[in-house]
Amino acid sequence: MNFGLGVDTGGTYTDTIIMDISTGTVMDTNKSLTTYPELITGIKNALNGLNSKYLEDVKFVSVSTTLATNSILERKGRQAGLILIGYSIHKKLSTDVVISVSGGHDANGDEIEPLNDLDTLKEFILANKSKVSSFAISSYFGVRNPDHELRVKKLIQNLTDLPVVCGHELSQDLGAYERSVTALLNAQLIPETNQFIKSIHSVMDEKNITATLMMMKCDGSLIKIEEALKKPVETIFSGPAASLVGASHLTNLDTCATIDVGGTSTDVSFMSDGIPEISETGALVGGWKTMVKAINMDTSAMGGDSHVWIQKKAFIGPKRVVPLCQAASEYPQIVDKLETNKKKISKRIMDDVIQPTTFFMNNGSVKTTHELGSYEEKILDIITESDEPLSISDIANRSQDHPLMFSNTLRLLEQNKYISQVGFTPTDALHFLNDYTRWNSKSSKIGAELLSNHINMNPGSFSSYIKEEVIRTISLNLVSFFADDVEKSDIGKLLNKSSYLNMKMNLPIVLIGAPVKAYLNDLNTFLEAEFIAPEYSEVGNAVGALMGNVIYRTETSIKPYKLGSSKYVVFSESGREIFESYEKAKDYALDLTKRIVFGYMKSYDLDEDSIQFNLDENEIGKGMGSPIETKLVGIGVGKPINKVKGENYDGKYSIKTGTQVPN
């Protein structure tokens, strides 16, 4: 038998599934807590819960993860340096380590200013190489001519051993700001993605798994793990993309909407006729507009592990914390600590860190690129030396400092992944209500009491309110996803005025995630629809990781070279070429587009007979003569599991029955 292993590492759980690729039968599944920063422990635990005999026959492994998405949503990405060539940016960026130097090209790819500031760049690189984990480069019209980006990349590589990414390597679309944001996010995500990939490889080696290893991209397609490391920004919605593909296969529905309730976020996406709907614009995540082609989705920073905290009212998120119930399962003394926290924190100083239900514990991280001051060292040592999570009162007593003195220090230590915060979450609310009781419910009950007392509610009403807010968010995201002509804020106003939206969804809605069955019955109190929580929904992302295709898209454009010139220029990911006539340029572009697609697919050992190729041609401004611009979009689709499929198996699975599904 030929087995495939799917692994999804989320913010809370690491899910695994083994399927017989030759029949589509689910052989075994398992869930384990994700461990951070040492991901390898959680991955190992997830695989240890699977039948070892099945693992011996695994020939194909595919993974997905929400770690990149969570890192951006929680603003926990590593520091990166950004080099801008030929332009400056006055909008918000996710780094303060930025320099702008002369250079750049025009729309035809001709140099408009030479790259003369190499000495200045050298000083910038050397001054910051110990402060950042990577560098990103974006040049003006770098997609028309990447020469300046490549020269600066080589300079950085000569001066450091840090990863470097260029804007043109990630997108061929125009847009200086969006391209720089995309390159910067990609650079910031490389260290975390590298750690994840190393963890997967390490566990595979330990289990003697010598299978092909791939990873799901944010468009629902699969890429080699090496490519994922170079372009981790393309995996920002890897988990939700896998969820969408998995939901379709778990229900045998080619057309459906999917709601993925994770630990950090809740995501809505759509599958039409077996193909994930792709956003026409770049992916938007954490407020950053990127140029990454991703599934069309609506995401909110509210999940099962979103922090519930109190000031004058209750807030949910956007930060993810370890649920009280989960932490108390490992550290039962948290229950006693919660009892002693009553009336120990003044309402006047409460914020998202200073709470009666907040605890902090060390992650086991070793200090690397992030330098800490003496006070940060002091607070970190206090937390590290404890063999149990410390409350705000504990830290105040041991440091002899007022909480307001160290609250920002705790934020810094958490952002740099030295410590984790424990707190009340929607998962705790479900534990109080006995709707989902995987962990220590007593801690959730005390936590609900502590928080509700501060806003004059009883614990039951408080927990029901938190659950209702999650359902409200799910409903809001779902309706706004399909109601393109209605502002999300207007839909929210309707939900605030009424507990029910007088709307009906005419397609099935599939729920994926560990606690989704707890929300299933109550969703219809907000919205009329067919909600489905299928078997194996708790490992739906791992299922989806095995279902993806290798998909490659490349765009080539043909434009007049210059005003008054008879020449034409072809722009592609391979660079630019100038031709004497439109006909010669088009012949070259058509051949090049196909060669790029099939060349890429060949690197996945997929031959032409196993590839579905589509070429879309769009002529802009065609009149009596040649078009103003011609765009060619080539798309190749191939299924990597065909390398280990059964002889007559078409690659589609029936998860529930383990039988082949007819076309």
Side-chain angles (χ1 to χ4, degrees):
M1 289 184 287
N2 295 315
F3 289 165
L5 170 65
V7 181
D8 175 78
T9 298
T12 302
Y13 289 112
T14 294
D15 303 336
T16 53
I17 188 168
I18 294 180
M19 299 176 66
D20 184 349
I21 294 176
S22 60
T23 64
T25 305
V26 174
M27 305 302 297
D28 202 3
T29 68
N30 190 41
K31 295 180 72 71
S32 179
L33 290 175
T34 296
T35 54
Y36 199 86
E38 296 299 332
L39 298 174
I40 187 171
T41 301
I43 296 169
K44 189 182 299 183
N45 291 340
L47 266 67
N48 284 341
L50 297 171
N51 189 314
S52 60
K53 292 184 179 179
Y54 295 154
L55 288 173
E56 294 174 0
D57 291 324
V58 166
K59 299 295 188 297
F60 179 77
V61 180
S62 187
V63 301
S64 61
T65 180
T66 61
L67 293 176
T69 312
N70 296 349
S71 181
I72 296 173
L73 287 174
E74 298 175 17
R75 300 174 178 87
K76 291 182 179 179
R78 298 295 180 89
Q79 182 74 288
L82 175 62
I83 297 173
L84 302 173
I85 305 171
Y87 70 106
S88 299
I89 291 178
H90 302 291
K91 298 180 181 179
K92 184 179 179 182
L93 291 167
S94 58
T95 184
D96 296 325
V97 185
V98 184
I99 189 173
S100 178
V101 297
S102 62
H105 296 78
D106 61 18
N108 291 312
D110 294 325
E111 187 179 74
I112 55 176
E113 192 173 0
L115 184 64
N116 289 331
D117 294 338
L118 293 180
D119 289 339
T120 302
L121 277 176
K122 183 176 180 179
E123 292 178 6
F124 173 81
I125 294 163
L126 292 175
N128 290 286
K129 69 176 185 177
S130 63
K131 301 176 183 178
V132 301
S133 59
S134 53
F135 283 96
I137 309 165
S138 182
S139 177
Y140 194 64
F141 276 108
V143 296
R144 297 302 198 205
N145 190 331
D147 176 62
H148 288 180
E149 290 187 356
L150 293 173
R151 287 170 60 189
V152 174
K153 180 176 183 177
K154 185 176 181 180
L155 175 65
I156 296 173
Q157 290 173 332
N158 289 336
L159 296 173
T160 79
D161 58 357
L162 296 176
V164 190
V165 62
C166 298
H168 79 274
E169 296 171 334
L170 300 170
S171 174
Q172 290 296 303
D173 293 337
L174 298 178
Y177 174 65
E178 291 80 6
R179 191 166 59 255
S180 63
V181 165
T182 304
L184 179 58
L185 290 177
N186 190 85
Q188 291 172 321
L189 291 171
I190 287 175
E192 189 160 18
T193 304
N194 184 42
Q195 183 188 22
F196 173 66
I197 292 172
K198 283 184 176 179
S199 298
I200 294 289
H201 274 301
S202 177
V203 177
M204 287 179 64
D205 289 343
E206 183 178 312
K207 299 292 183 182
N208 294 317
I209 300 173
T210 57
T212 299
L213 177 60
M214 301 187 74
M215 188 171 184
M216 178 154 281
K217 290 171 57 179
C218 53
D219 61 358
S221 66
L222 297 178
I223 54 173
K224 291 179 179 178
I225 209 73
E226 296 82 7
E227 190 172 350
L229 177 56
K230 295 177 182 177
K231 301 179 180 181
V233 73
E234 294 183 348
T235 69
I236 51 176
F237 294 150
S238 169
S243 173
L244 177 61
V245 176
S248 174
H249 284 269
L250 285 170
T251 57
N252 290 325
L253 293 170
D254 285 338
T255 299
C256 63
T258 299
I259 299 174
D260 182 7
V261 182
T264 305
S265 64
T266 297
D267 311 305
V268 180
S269 53
F270 179 59
M271 178 82 76
S272 178
D273 294 327
I275 300 175
E277 183 179 79
I278 304 300
S279 174
E280 295 181 0
T281 58
L284 179 66
V285 58
W288 300 111
K289 178 71 167 60
T290 75
M291 287 184 165
V292 178
K293 301 298 184 184
I295 59 171
N296 189 20
M297 62 183 291
D298 189 308
T299 185
S300 66
M302 182 186 290
D305 298 345
S306 294
H307 189 204
V308 177
W309 52 286
I310 299 296
Q311 281 186 326
K312 294 182 179 180
K313 63 178 184 177
F315 295 87
I316 306 178
K319 183 167 62 178
R320 174 191 172 272
V321 298
V322 179
L324 281 174
C325 53
Q326 178 186 333
S329 293
E330 183 175 355
Y331 302 98
Q333 55 268 46
I334 282 180
V335 174
D336 294 332
K337 285 177 174 286
L338 285 169
E339 290 281 9
T340 63
N341 276 351
K342 295 179 180 179
K343 299 181 180 179
K344 286 212 171 183
I345 296 181
S346 169
K347 290 182 181 180
R348 295 191 300 274
I349 66 170
M350 283 189 185
D351 57 17
D352 62 322
V353 169
I354 305 174
Q355 293 282 303
T357 51
T358 288
F359 295 84
F360 286 91
M361 54 187 181
N362 185 269
N363 273 335
S365 297
V366 177
K367 284 175 286 186
T368 53
T369 60
H370 298 285
E371 296 295 330
L372 298 178
S374 59
Y375 191 73
E376 287 81 10
E377 294 264 11
K378 171 186 173 181
I379 299 300
L380 178 58
D381 288 342
I382 289 173
I383 297 172
T384 302
E385 291 168 2
S386 174
D387 58 0
E388 61 185 24
L390 297 181
S391 68
I392 294 295
S393 298
D394 290 333
I395 299 172
N397 291 334
R398 299 187 186 196
S399 66
Q400 296 298 302
D401 291 328
H402 191 277
L404 289 178
M405 288 187 62
F406 55 74
S407 60
N408 284 334
T409 297
L410 292 173
R411 287 191 183 91
L412 174 66
L413 293 174
E414 185 184 11
Q415 181 179 353
N416 288 338
K417 302 183 185 298
Y418 292 118
I419 61 176
S420 292
Q421 183 173 347
V422 177
F424 194 87
T425 67
T427 299
D428 288 295
L430 294 180
H431 275 71
F432 181 95
L433 298 169
N434 293 318
D435 290 340
Y436 180 70
T437 55
R438 180 181 178 89
W439 292 304
N440 188 316
S441 295
K442 188 173 182 180
S443 62
S444 300
K445 294 181 185 299
I446 300 173
E449 179 183 349
L450 287 172
L451 295 180
S452 62
N453 284 341
H454 283 288
I455 54 175
N456 299 318
M457 293 180 71
N458 66 63
S461 298
F462 176 76
S463 297
S464 295
Y465 166 76
I466 298 301
K467 179 182 178 181
E468 184 177 291
E469 284 302 296
V470 173
I471 296 172
R472 187 186 301 271
T473 298
I474 292 174
S475 302
L476 173 61
N477 289 356
L478 182 62
V479 173
S480 65
F481 181 85
F482 289 101
D484 295 332
D485 56 341
V486 181
E487 291 292 332
K488 192 171 186 176
S489 58
D490 293 334
I491 300 172
K493 291 176 183 177
L494 290 175
L495 274 174
N496 289 333
K497 292 180 179 179
S498 172
S499 61
Y500 184 78
L501 276 172
N502 188 24
M503 298 184 67
K504 181 178 181 179
M505 306 295 295
N506 293 319
L507 78 164
I509 315 296
V510 184
L511 304 178
I512 296 294
V516 293
K517 292 180 181 177
Y519 298 115
L520 186 61
N521 293 332
D522 293 327
L523 278 165
N524 276 315
T525 64
F526 281 86
L527 186 67
E528 184 179 354
E530 179 189 2
F531 292 100
I532 304 169
E535 186 179 8
Y536 302 117
S537 61
E538 68 277 8
V539 293
N541 294 35
V543 173
L546 281 176
M547 301 296 103
N549 293 315
V550 174
I551 303 174
Y552 193 71
R553 175 192 298 262
T554 188
E555 183 174 305
T556 306
S557 62
I558 309 167
K559 300 182 70 174
Y561 177 49
K562 287 182 179 179
L563 184 65
S565 171
S566 61
K567 297 181 179 180
Y568 282 81
V569 59
V570 175
F571 297 108
S572 72
E573 63 182 72
S574 298
R576 70 165 188 165
E577 293 288 342
I578 300 173
F579 295 87
E580 296 296 327
S581 67
Y582 174 77
E583 290 72 20
K584 290 182 178 180
K586 185 174 181 181
D587 288 343
Y588 172 81
L590 287 168
D591 178 67
L592 177 65
T593 302
K594 188 171 182 178
R595 282 192 288 112
I596 289 175
V597 170
F598 280 93
Y600 180 88
M601 303 301 273
K602 186 178 180 180
S603 70
Y604 284 79
D605 296 325
L606 295 170
D607 53 40
E608 291 195 18
D609 293 337
S610 63
I611 300 170
Q612 176 186 342
F613 177 75
N614 180 61
L615 181 66
D616 182 33
E617 180 179 334
N618 182 24
E619 294 185 341
I620 303 170
K622 185 175 182 179
M624 296 296 292
S626 301
I628 296 175
E629 182 177 5
T630 299
K631 288 188 175 182
L632 303 174
V633 178
I635 302 175
V637 181
K639 188 169 287 293
I641 61 172
N642 282 342
K643 290 297 174 183
V644 287
K645 67 180 177 60
E647 184 175 351
N648 298 315
Y649 182 54
D650 66 0
K652 190 163 185 177
Y653 298 83
S654 173
I655 300 297
K656 291 183 178 179
T657 63
T659 57
Q660 194 172 331
V661 180
N663 291 326

